[in-house]
Every structure is written in structure tokens, then in C-alpha cells.
């Protein structure tokens, strides 16, 4: 499928880079959007020759106004699939509905444990022995939608939030492109909370 993919990112963009470097996913990345002008993700997009847009929350005001502008941009660019990769904004229900089943997110824990913006820190504070990575379909609730793929990461005695997050990211960079590839290949069938990966196992 010749799908066009947009990646939304607020930070360093290492997950964006993993998507760009994937031989199947990379060529499909048509647009990178960031809410932060200084996001490393915008530089990575430029480096890869991909159109990049800084969509400034200061200009668009309300969350609804911002997401309306975002949806207009995605529609104008003919985007089929949206990949959140460290995008530090919560999407509002209308844009989630417009792209139902077509927004994926990568989260640094085994959901539903440790949702939110500080998952590695929260896992450590809880004294968990294992955390991990979740790729899920985005729905109207935060870090909540149907799970496409998960992989555990062991927590070490000497971990701090940074060392743990670094090991989690290594896994993210391996599994997020795989999940996106499944979507592009039309292999994901969403059935309530369950996501079946066709042609696997
Ligand atoms: C990743 O850990 C992702 O799971 C989380 O934010 C981080 C983004 O990192 N949502 P990067 O900008 O891709 O390096």
C-alpha cells in the first residue's frame, strides 16, 4: 500500500529516526510535525528530505484549535497513517475520530501500567522488576487504545530513570517500525480491545 505517513514528535526524534531508517516505513514518511520549534525531530526530518512543519501551540490557542489546524494539515497532505513518537500533546476526540484506527503511539511501559509522561521514572519508583514498550492504537483516552505489540525490559538494581529509558528506547527503535510495517501491510485487524496481526504465529 502506498500509504502516506505523518510522524508527530516533540523531542529528540530517535523514534522518528528509527522509522525513517526502516526500508519499508522510511519511504512512506511524508510529513513530520512538531509542536516545538527546537525539536530534534524537525532537524532529522530535514536531514531525510521530508517535509517538516512546526505547528506552534502559541498561534493556535486552544487544544481544539490546535487539533483542527493539525487535522487540516494532515488532510491537505493526504496522510493515511499518523505515528506519534514522543508527541507531548493529548489529541482531542474529533481528530482521533477522524483518524480512527489510523493513529499509532509508542509508550515506554507495558500498558496499562505506568501511563503518562514519566513512565520509566514511575516504574522505578513503584519498585517494578519489569517494564517495557507498548505500541498501541490511539483512542480518545490517554495511553489506552488497543495494543498492537508489547515487549518487556528488565529493570536492573542500579538503574536510574535515564539508564532505564535508554534501554527502553533501544527496544522502541526495534519494535515501532515493525508495528508500523504491519499496519502498512494491512495486517492489523482491530476487534474491540484486541488487535490481531494477520499472517503471524
Ligand atoms: C519515547 O520513549 C516514547 O516512547 C515516548 O517519548 C519518547 C520519545 O523519544 N512517548 P524520542 O523523541 O523518539 O527520542
Amino acid at each position: 500500500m502506498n500509504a502516506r505517513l505523518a510522524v508527530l514528535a516533540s523531542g529528540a526524534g530517535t523514534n522518528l529516526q528509527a522509522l525513517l531508517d526502516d526500508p519499508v516505513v522510511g519511504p512512506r514518511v511524508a510529513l513530520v510535525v512538531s509542536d516545538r520549534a527546537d525539536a530534534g525531530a524537525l532537524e532529522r526530518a530535514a536531514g531525510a528530505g521530508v517535509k517538516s512543519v512546526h505547528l506552534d501551540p502559541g498561534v493556535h490557542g486552544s487544544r481544539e484549535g490546535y487539533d483542527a489546524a493539525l487535522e487540516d494539515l494532515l488532510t491537505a497532505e493526504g496522510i493515511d497513517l499518523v505515528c506519534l513518537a514522543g508527541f507531548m500533546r493529548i489529541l482531542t476526540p474529533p481528530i482521533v475520530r477522524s483518524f480512527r484506527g489510523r493513529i499509532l503511539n509508542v509508550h515506554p511501559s507495558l500498558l496499562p501500567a505506568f501511563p503518562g509522561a514519566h513512565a520509566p521514572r514511575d516504574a522505578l519508583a513503584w519498585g517494578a522488576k519489569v517494564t517495557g514498550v507498548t505500541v498501541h492504537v490511539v483512542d480518545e483516552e490517554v495511553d489506552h487504545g488497543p495494543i498492537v505489540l508489547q515487549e518487556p525490559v528488565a529493570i536492573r538494581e542500579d538503574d536510574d530513570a535515564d539508564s532505564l529509558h535508554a534501554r527502553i528506547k533501544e527496544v522502541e527503535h526495534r519494535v515501532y517500525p515493525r508495528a508500523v510495517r504491519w499496519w502498512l501491510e494491512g495486517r492489523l485487524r482491530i476487534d474491540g480491545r484486541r488487535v490481531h496481526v494477520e499472517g503471524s504465529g
Side-chain angles (χ1 to χ4, degrees), residues 11-15 86 106-108 165 169 172:
T14 63
N15 278 287
V106 62
H107 181 79
H165 199 179
K169 278 185 160 197
E172 290 182 333

